[in-house]
Amino acid sequence: MNEEIENVLNIAHSPEQPLHVDWVNSSDISVTVKRDDLLHAIISGNKWRKLKYALLEILTSSEVNKRLEIISFGGGFSNHIHALAYCCHQLKKQGRTVSFTAIIRGDYSANLTPMLDDIISWGAKIEYVDRLTYKKRNDQAYLDSLKSKLINRSDSKVFIIPEGGSQHSALLGLTELIDELNGEYDYILCPVASGGTMAGLIRATEQLATKIVGVAVLKGRDYLEQLVAEFLPPACDFNNSNWTIEHDFHFGGYAKKNHDLIKFCQEFSADAKIVIEPVYSGKLFFALKHLITHNYFPSDSRILVIHTGGLQGARGDYSK
Ligand SMILES: *Cc1c(COP(=O)(O)O)cnc(C)c1O
């Protein structure tokens, strides 16, 4: 099943590529990029890492002829909803009876985003909810009511995947990323939003001397540390272990951007020939440059940056 699902969805292997930059103080360190943005043309890199084991669990836990009802949550530009809707569409093409309902924060019915357009074309059902309802996305009573509303046939089974796809089984996908690496690294950098990706990387490198540096893409000092720590066993407590989150690169909040960031994204994309966007990878590489030029990394450090993908979202206007 493990390989089969990658074949069905046409997932590629992501390359590990040296990055040559001529930033101040960049000459005595080495930077490599793990190109998870190239895993798939549509399924965003880290969303695949996180969804793979959730989908495997769903597919193996029920008989082939059961109807699968999958529910998940996101905003109008969500890479997670986009990736999941596409996966469900492909599984349907393979003959599985899968239906996907996206619970979307805000009402975009009169003004669809490119992401919502796509998922409608892939057969997803959308339920728009207001912010207050959306806040209940992890409350058991609300989830039960959603389940009973959707489960209108006795031969179906309902699965709820949390916002961002950051459930516990998601962490295994990040172990695969680490197992794939050819090089050895002193630092691994990744963006942090719901914390699942970073937590997976911390778990997967527990036995190594690698330090994981998260770059917060939203305002969340302490809150993000807590989110990540909730995924970790107590021994990985954030006070004493090998990870840290940098909070100076969110540009005012989630999907917030300014002229400097946009210019950086354009120049970096052209120079390095690696496309980045302002919501995740732009803030990540902006942080990388700042940290290198300010001598954050000791000489001879080997740094790996995880390009988590997310380019579909770049089609929209995030500031809405
Ligand atoms: C969702 C997303 C992230 C954030 O990952 P978390 O596991 O939620 O912290 C980073 N990069 C991209 C491209 C994403 O779509």
Side-chain angles (χ1 to χ4, degrees), residues 30-89:
S30 75
V31 183
T32 304
V33 182
K34 177 69 169 163
R35 299 288 307 273
D36 267 16
D37 56 316
L38 301 180
L39 277 177
H40 194 273
I42 292 172
I43 306 171
S44 180
N46 76 327
K47 297 305 182 277
W48 172 247
R49 299 284 183 188
K50 295 199 283 181
L51 277 173
K52 178 177 176 183
Y53 283 87
L55 289 174
L56 280 174
E57 207 172 280
I58 290 172
L59 291 173
T60 50
S61 74
S62 59
E63 306 94 77
V64 179
N65 55 2
K66 272 246 180 213
R67 285 178 68 85
L68 304 175
E69 299 272 355
I70 299 178
I71 306 172
S72 196
F73 304 86
F77 297 90
S78 165
N79 290 325
H80 160 67
I81 292 292
H82 192 255
L84 180 54
Y86 182 80
C87 289
C88 291
H89 173 61

Side-chain angles (χ1 to χ4, degrees), residues 11 14 34-40 42-53 78-80 83 164-167 170-174 177 190-201 217 277 280-281 284 306-311:
I11 302 288
S14 76
K34 177 69 169 163
R35 299 288 307 273
D36 267 16
D37 56 316
L38 301 180
L39 277 177
H40 194 273
I42 292 172
I43 306 171
S44 180
N46 76 327
K47 297 305 182 277
W48 172 247
R49 299 284 183 188
K50 295 199 283 181
L51 277 173
K52 178 177 176 183
Y53 283 87
S78 165
N79 290 325
H80 160 67
S166 288
Q167 64 282 326
L171 302 198
L172 286 172
L174 280 310
L177 184 158
C190 69
V192 186
S194 72
T197 302
M198 180 167 187
L201 292 170
V217 302
E277 46 66 51
Y280 297 104
S281 50
L284 176 69
I306 314 286
H307 191 323
T308 46
L311 300 167

Side-chain angles (χ1 to χ4, degrees), residues 36 90 116 126 136 146 152 225 285 310 314 316:
D36 267 16
Q90 291 301 315
L116 291 168
I126 299 179
K136 297 193 284 190
L146 275 179
N152 42 25
E225 278 81 357
F285 282 94

Side-chain angles (χ1 to χ4, degrees), residues 116-165:
L116 291 168
D117 258 337
D118 283 348
I119 74 166
I120 289 168
S121 76
W122 297 327
K125 289 177 268 182
I126 299 179
E127 228 178 273
Y128 297 108
V129 299
D130 58 29
R131 272 156 207 277
L132 277 179
T133 310
Y134 192 82
K135 272 204 171 137
K136 297 193 284 190
R137 64 191 177 278
N138 297 320
D139 294 357
Q140 200 50 51
Y142 172 64
L143 297 180
D144 287 344
S145 76
L146 275 179
K147 270 190 184 173
S148 56
K149 210 162 83 186
L150 283 166
I151 192 157
N152 42 25
R153 300 165 60 127
S154 58
D155 61 345
S156 56
K157 212 170 160 180
V158 184
F159 296 89
I160 294 182
I161 297 181
E163 181 185 59

